[in-house]
Amino acid sequence: MNSQEEFQFMVSQLGDFGKYQFRQHVLHCLMWLLSAIHMMGFVFVFPIMNHRCFIEGIDEKCHVTNTTTLEVLENYIPKTEDGSLQSCFKFQTSDEGDNSSIISCGPEGYVYTPGYFQSSRVTEWDMICDRDWMRALLQATFLFGSLIGALSGGILADRFGRKPIICFSGILQFFWGFGVVFSDNYYACAFCIFMYGFFGSGTGSCPAVTLTMELVGPSKRTMCGILISCCFGLGGVIVAAWAYFLPGNARMLQLIYVSHSLILFGNWWLVDESFNWLWTQGKKEDAILLLQKAAKTNGFELICPPGVTTVKRRMTLADAIAKRQGNNKGFCCSPKRSGLFALFRTGEMRKRILVSMFTFFAAGALYYGLSFNSINLFGNPYLIFIMTCVADFPAIPIVILLTPKTGYKPMLCLFLMLPGVTCIVLAFINKNIWSTVIATLAKVSATLIFKITNAYTAELFPTVVRNTALGLCVMSTRLGGTAIPEINLLERFSGKLPNLVFGVIGLVAAGLVLVCLPETMNRPIPQTIEDVEGEKKKKKKGEQQGAKGESNDLGVEEDML
């Protein structure tokens, strides 16, 4: 029995999901809950309030007003096709009373009329009309920070361990979020938002998923991956609930969102390192000690591998293994065969990572696009946002029951195609109750993508680069989210364009998954890149043997004829 077999022998004793795995999994889920609160909070802290041009002599010198009737304002502000007042234009009045010319609001600025949203940080810098790019830039800045954080967190977690990255990100997201709340300068706020996204929704998310996937057994990975994604939806519900009960002060609302990070300050004493990572890094004594702790929590003593007599002392088992196998880190710990570039060094790894990255990009574009735009749908924005967050929960049992039977690929393709087709349909129908229902169904399908990709991606890549791979994929998700403000700006040219772009992205991703990625359901997680390439060779060998067998059968039939 070699060193890796001895390690797998010990890990298998823990079972797929015991008390120890449950406790750790809850802590990992908190990272995703907080990630959702930080990210989705933008929707209600920076909403676009009802607005129009300031009219000299009519409006008081105040930023937000409920005064002035429509009959009076229509003499100064043109109407849209549906009869409402224009938001960004007014008539140019003259001494002769001619108001036929239409101009922008100009330096006089805007007034905001409370509706569903009574407060917004958008009003601080008038990020509307010809300055709407400023709001889009802030949203993209947060998502870009999250993108860079996901990539950096994945690489650092493979290099220094999962635990320290999770712990430090939990602390730093609070302090940078605090900076966002009290920034009065636009550019200072943008920088703090970048760092807030970096630590709040970037660095800690990937290690949390990886820790869970490395901790639980094969039969529970799908369930745990789904539960982590559910925490993201639950975070959205918390965001909308706080916004509903505190509608009048956007900064106070944002401070409450940031304050949730305080629950992560105890992670250093509660979250354990991955014993898979410890073992592959050659820290076998620490891995064994952690396995003993996990076994004790689950209610039994760890059994020695064959040839080792005791595990009562911390060093006995480790010394025995080191003496018989040597303390050689081997392939899995070679710095030349791990890290970012290892994902692109071989053909099979390169194909897996590129297709996975585009799949996550599509998932991010569909999910965040439908989430951020849900407040613009027909109806109460708070209710619609909560509905889109919780509507996917009833579908979770379907995924848990069907995925083990169908495998990851068919379900992932289905949930990529459904929102893709739905977005294309939305491009050609008017905004009404049915468009809200269709958009909600699309959001459900987009959410279910993440229920599968977390577990699927963790099983596609070996331990030595798993967190780096997941970091790249989550980075791609954030890249998809970063593109949303720019895609939405296409609405200036045609209202159909944004939904059409989202739809095409989803359909292309479904086709790539179907053609390029292997099924991993109920198969061992690869530990090294050689394992991945070995799977490819076995598959090709099987196909060749199958073709040879068919050829032999045909030859026999010809002889018989």
Side-chain angles (χ1 to χ4, degrees):
M1 181 181 290
N2 59 36
S3 179
Q4 188 61 37
E5 289 174 344
E6 288 175 327
F7 175 68
Q8 293 299 333
F9 173 81
M10 291 183 288
V11 171
S12 64
Q13 298 175 47
L14 299 181
D16 284 1
F17 197 75
K19 186 184 296 184
Y20 176 80
Q21 289 97 325
F22 171 77
R23 291 177 179 176
Q24 292 295 309
H25 180 56
V26 170
L27 297 173
H28 305 158
C29 287
L30 285 177
M31 293 298 300
W32 278 76
L33 179 71
L34 269 294
S35 177
I37 292 175
H38 300 319
M39 183 175 294
M40 296 301 176
F42 188 94
V43 175
F44 296 101
V45 174
F46 292 89
I48 298 178
M49 296 176 61
N50 297 329
H51 57 278
R52 58 173 176 80
C53 296
F54 178 87
I55 305 300
E56 186 71 33
I58 299 296
D59 293 314
E60 300 177 0
K61 291 293 183 180
C62 58
H63 213 41
V64 180
T65 179
N66 279 314
T67 62
T68 313
T69 62
L70 178 63
E71 290 76 11
V72 174
L73 289 173
E74 65 185 7
N75 296 321
Y76 299 89
I77 300 176
K79 292 184 178 181
T80 62
E81 293 180 358
D82 62 4
S84 60
L85 296 176
Q86 290 274 8
S87 299
C88 303
F89 300 97
K90 65 181 179 179
F91 289 123
Q92 183 178 20
T93 59
S94 63
D95 296 336
E96 292 78 16
D98 178 22
N99 61 355
S100 58
S101 299
I102 298 176
I103 60 174
S104 62
C105 294
E108 291 83 5
Y110 309 87
V111 293
Y112 298 88
T113 55
Y116 282 115
F117 302 113
Q118 300 179 26
S119 176
S120 172
R121 295 200 66 182
V122 166
T123 64
E124 295 178 17
W125 298 291
D126 285 334
M127 296 184 287
I128 50 176
C129 298
D130 57 348
R131 293 161 63 91
D132 59 352
W133 62 269
M134 297 177 68
R135 178 181 181 274
L137 181 61
L138 288 183
Q139 186 175 13
T141 297
F142 180 93
L143 292 168
F144 184 69
S146 179
L147 179 157
I148 301 300
L151 175 60
S152 303
I155 295 173
L156 292 172
D158 278 338
R159 176 67 179 86
F160 299 105
R162 285 64 163 130
K163 176 178 177 176
I165 305 304
I166 286 178
C167 295
F168 285 119
S169 67
I171 296 172
L172 292 174
Q173 65 183 241
F174 172 78
F175 289 106
W176 283 110
F178 202 78
V180 173
V181 175
F182 295 101
S183 295
D184 292 321
N185 178 273
Y186 176 81
Y187 297 102
C189 182
F191 178 74
C192 290
I193 282 178
F194 174 84
M195 299 303 296
Y196 185 38
F198 185 94
F199 293 106
S201 292
T203 53
S205 302
C206 299
V209 174
T210 305
L211 267 174
T212 284
M213 294 300 108
E214 292 176 345
L215 186 64
V216 303
S219 67
K220 302 299 181 183
R221 288 187 194 125
T222 301
M223 179 191 71
C224 289
I226 289 173
L227 290 175
I228 285 180
S229 297
C230 288
C231 290
F232 205 90
L234 180 59
V237 174
I238 294 173
V239 163
W242 276 118
Y244 178 79
F245 290 109
L246 291 171
N249 192 326
R251 287 210 187 201
M252 179 59 68
L253 181 63
Q254 191 171 29
L255 180 61
I256 290 175
Y257 292 154
V258 171
S259 298
H260 286 79
S261 297
L262 291 172
I263 65 177
L264 301 178
F265 276 38
N267 275 348
W268 189 261
W269 297 274
L270 299 174
V271 174
D272 288 336
E273 186 56 84
S274 164
F275 33 72
N276 283 272
W277 181 84
L278 290 171
W279 190 270
T280 58
Q281 296 300 306
K283 300 178 180 181
K284 297 181 178 180
E285 295 86 355
D286 294 328
I288 292 170
L289 184 65
L290 187 57
L291 283 167
Q292 289 175 322
K293 173 185 174 182
K296 185 177 180 180
T297 303
N298 285 350
F300 61 90
E301 292 291 331
L302 198 67
I303 300 175
C304 306
V308 180
T309 58
T310 180
V311 292
K312 291 182 179 179
R313 293 173 55 206
R314 172 181 174 182
M315 299 299 295
T316 303
L317 178 57
D319 289 342
I321 294 174
K323 183 177 180 180
R324 289 163 44 240
Q325 304 295 337
N327 198 24
N328 182 16
K329 295 182 180 180
F331 174 86
C332 61
C333 296
S334 174
K336 296 182 179 180
R337 306 305 297 272
S338 61
L340 180 62
F341 294 106
L343 292 168
F344 300 91
R345 188 169 289 117
T346 63
E348 182 64 19
M349 290 290 292
R350 187 161 50 245
K351 180 177 70 174
R352 291 189 183 190
I353 190 60
L354 290 175
V355 174
S356 297
M357 287 174 65
F358 186 80
T359 302
F360 273 76
F361 173 85
L366 292 168
Y367 180 85
Y368 296 125
L370 291 164
S371 296
F372 293 147
N373 294 331
S374 64
I375 62 172
N376 299 321
L377 295 173
F378 180 82
N380 186 308
Y382 301 103
L383 180 61
I384 291 173
F385 193 87
I386 291 176
M387 183 173 62
T388 57
C389 289
V390 303
D392 61 299
F393 290 171
I396 292 172
I398 299 176
V399 178
I400 294 176
L401 293 174
L402 290 182
T403 302
K405 297 179 180 179
T406 64
Y408 292 120
K409 278 182 61 175
M411 298 297 286
L412 182 56
C413 290
L414 174 65
F415 294 133
L416 283 166
M417 288 178 61
L418 285 177
V421 172
T422 305
C423 285
I424 294 175
V425 172
L426 284 172
F428 295 97
I429 63 175
N430 295 325
K431 187 182 293 186
N432 52 40
I433 186 63
W434 291 111
S435 65
T436 300
V437 172
I438 292 173
T440 301
L441 294 175
K443 171 64 164 41
V444 171
S445 298
T447 305
L448 293 177
I449 296 172
F450 292 106
K451 305 292 186 286
I452 298 173
T453 51
N454 284 336
Y456 188 30
T457 305
E459 294 185 13
L460 279 173
F461 298 97
T463 300
V464 288
V465 291
R466 183 172 297 122
N467 219 80
T468 302
L470 192 59
L472 272 177
C473 291
V474 174
M475 179 201 74
S476 301
T477 303
R478 306 299 191 253
L479 184 61
T482 305
I484 290 169
E486 286 69 34
I487 294 175
N488 286 336
L489 291 178
L490 294 174
E491 195 171 10
R492 293 182 177 181
F493 304 100
S494 172
K496 297 181 176 63
L497 278 178
N499 281 324
L500 288 175
V501 171
F502 290 136
V504 170
I505 289 173
L507 294 178
V508 171
L512 289 174
V513 170
L514 184 64
V515 174
C516 300
L517 294 184
E519 182 57 68
T520 63
M521 178 64 67
N522 295 325
R523 298 179 184 176
I525 289 183
Q527 298 295 327
T528 66
I529 297 177
E530 286 178 340
D531 293 341
V532 172
E533 296 301 320
E535 291 176 7
K536 180 181 178 182
K537 292 178 182 178
K538 289 179 181 179
K539 182 180 179 181
K540 285 186 176 181
K541 185 176 180 181
E543 291 175 351
Q544 292 173 355
Q545 290 178 346
K548 185 177 180 181
E550 291 178 2
S551 176
N552 291 338
D553 292 341
L554 289 174
V556 171
E557 291 177 2
E558 290 175 358
D559 292 342
M560 292 176 66
L561 291 173

